[in-house]
Each structure stands twice: as structure tokens, then as C-alpha cells.
Amino acid sequence: MGLDSVEILVNVENAFGITISNYEAEKITTVGDIHNVVWRHVQGRQSMRCRSQQLFYKLRYLLINKFQVPREAIEPDASLNDIFPKKNRRLKYLRLKKELQLKVPELALPAVWGRFLMVTGITLIAGSLALALVLIYGYGYTPWLYVLPGLGIISTVFISNILDAVRTEFKPGLVKAYTQMVLAYNYGTLMTNKSIGRQEMEVIINHIVAETAGLDLHEIAPEKSLTNDLGID
């Protein structure tokens, strides 16, 4: 078994949290053999880790094939803020959300705008409350205690909505953290069945083989020989 095959098996082990024995590895000659070995290890097991890996490879596949992001740029510790240039980032993110068909984190305000909104909100609400107290003690009109602070809150929300156009930052920014956040947002949907299915497992493995060997996903099939058909040593 060559270095490429070993790397594939290591990535598979990491993805599913299993250990493939040397005896099992020596028997692997096709993609289907990998499927069978892994299935014996994961059948009926909890699948949180598998779901996370599935999401990662789905995200990676979309970025490569739909957004022409270089394969080597997409790693768990890569920054989405680097992967997606700021120009047209919001439009591209809308496309990504549509392709993923899952609930995803919204883009956040850049730090400078976030601080501006926080300071503005505190100033408006605190100023409104202070003015309300002055009017109450000066004129005895207690409804000001509710009206003015309420207007301060409404104004802050209004300004926040106006700033939607400048929400362009990924938070969390790293691919790994983003994947985990998406999994958390969609936990009820993705984790309806606690054990991973055979088809889901095969999809994850096929992605790993394709990504590790630098092949197109459509080239990966159970009957394909790693060496003779796919050129993996």
C-alpha cells in the first residue's frame, strides 16, 4: 500500500473516529472495500462526528465546484473571510446558503461597525432614559419612563437594520468552526437518526478519496480499483 492509500485511510480513520487494522488495510483494493471496512466499524454508532465530516466535505465540494475556490485553499483551519473576497461576498454567501439548503450563521458586522452600533445603542438608550428621568422629575409625566427608552431601543434596531448592507464578516471565520456551527443550527434535522446510514457513510468516504487523491467525485465508485482505475498508489 503506497503513501496515497495510507493517507486516504488515515483521513478516513480521523473522519469516523475508528482504527483500521493492518490486516484490514492489506485487504483493501477497491473503494468498495473501504466502504465495507468502515461500515463494520461504524454500523449503529452515534454519528455526530460523521455528520460534521459530511458537512465539511459538502461545503468543500460546493466551494470548489460552484465558486471555483482552489482545492488547496479549503482546509479545516482556513478562514472563510480569506476564501471569499469581500467584494460581492454577501451575494456569494446567499448562493452558498441556497446550495447548502441548511440554516447557516448570518454574516456579521466588521469590528469597527460592531463597535459603532454598540456605542450608538448604549448612547441612545442611556440618553433616552436620562431624558425620561429629567422629564419625570421636572414635569411629573411618568409615561416618559417607558416612551423614550423604547424609542431608543427602536432607533438602535433601525440603525442595525440599516447596517445590514455592511454585514460581510464570517463569524465564526474558520471552516471547521463554521461547519460545527451549521451542524448545531441544524442538529434536529441532521441528527434525526442517531446512527449513520450506509449511503451517508459512502458519500463521506467518496469525498475523502476524491479530495485526498485530487480526483473528481464522479470518478469514485465502489467497484473502482484504487491502483488500476484511480491511479492511487
Side-chain angles (χ1 to χ4, degrees), residues 116-117 120-121 123-125 128 147-163:
F116 168 79
L117 181 61
T120 301
T123 302
L124 284 172
I125 295 171
S128 299
V147 174
L148 288 177
L151 289 175
I153 294 172
I154 292 172
S155 299
T156 303
V157 172
F158 178 72
I159 293 172
S160 177
N161 289 334
I162 291 177
L163 292 177

Side-chain angles (χ1 to χ4, degrees), residues 120-139:
T120 301
I122 292 173
T123 302
L124 284 172
I125 295 171
S128 299
L129 182 59
L131 181 58
L133 292 174
V134 170
L135 291 172
I136 289 169
Y137 285 107
Y139 299 94

Side-chain angles (χ1 to χ4, degrees), residues 36-176:
N36 293 332
V37 168
V38 174
W39 183 242
R40 287 197 293 270
H41 284 274
V42 304
Q43 187 175 10
R45 281 181 41 184
Q46 298 290 320
S47 59
M48 172 68 93
R49 187 170 186 175
C50 298
R51 304 288 184 184
S52 179
Q53 289 294 325
Q54 186 179 23
L55 275 176
F56 170 74
Y57 284 106
K58 181 177 182 179
L59 176 63
R60 193 176 189 187
Y61 178 80
L62 289 174
L63 291 177
I64 292 171
N65 292 280
K66 299 293 185 179
F67 297 90
Q68 289 72 54
V69 177
R71 186 187 305 272
E72 61 274 10
I74 311 168
E75 297 294 338
D77 292 328
S79 170
L80 286 166
N81 290 308
D82 294 333
I83 291 173
F84 281 95
K86 184 165 288 189
K87 184 179 180 181
N88 296 325
R89 183 181 290 168
R90 286 178 60 82
L91 291 176
K92 290 181 178 179
Y93 192 50
L94 287 174
R95 282 182 56 204
L96 179 63
K97 288 198 291 186
K98 184 177 180 180
E99 294 286 349
L100 281 173
Q101 297 181 336
L102 294 169
K103 183 179 179 182
V104 298
E106 295 298 331
L107 293 174
L109 289 171
V112 62
W113 284 108
R115 287 193 293 270
F116 168 79
L117 181 61
M118 181 180 68
V119 171
T120 301
I122 292 173
T123 302
L124 284 172
I125 295 171
S128 299
L129 182 59
L131 181 58
L133 292 174
V134 170
L135 291 172
I136 289 169
Y137 285 107
Y139 299 94
Y141 188 57
T142 54
W144 288 116
L145 182 61
Y146 306 101
V147 174
L148 288 177
L151 289 175
I153 294 172
I154 292 172
S155 299
T156 303
V157 172
F158 178 72
I159 293 172
S160 177
N161 289 334
I162 291 177
L163 292 177
D164 274 350
V166 295
R167 294 181 187 274
T168 57
E169 297 294 311
F170 282 96
K171 290 185 180 180
L174 298 184
V175 172
K176 181 179 180 180

Side-chain angles (χ1 to χ4, degrees), residues 199-211:
Q199 185 175 2
E200 292 175 290
M201 178 210 68
E202 291 183 2
V203 168
I204 297 172
I205 292 172
N206 291 351
H207 275 287
I208 292 173
V209 173
E211 297 295 340

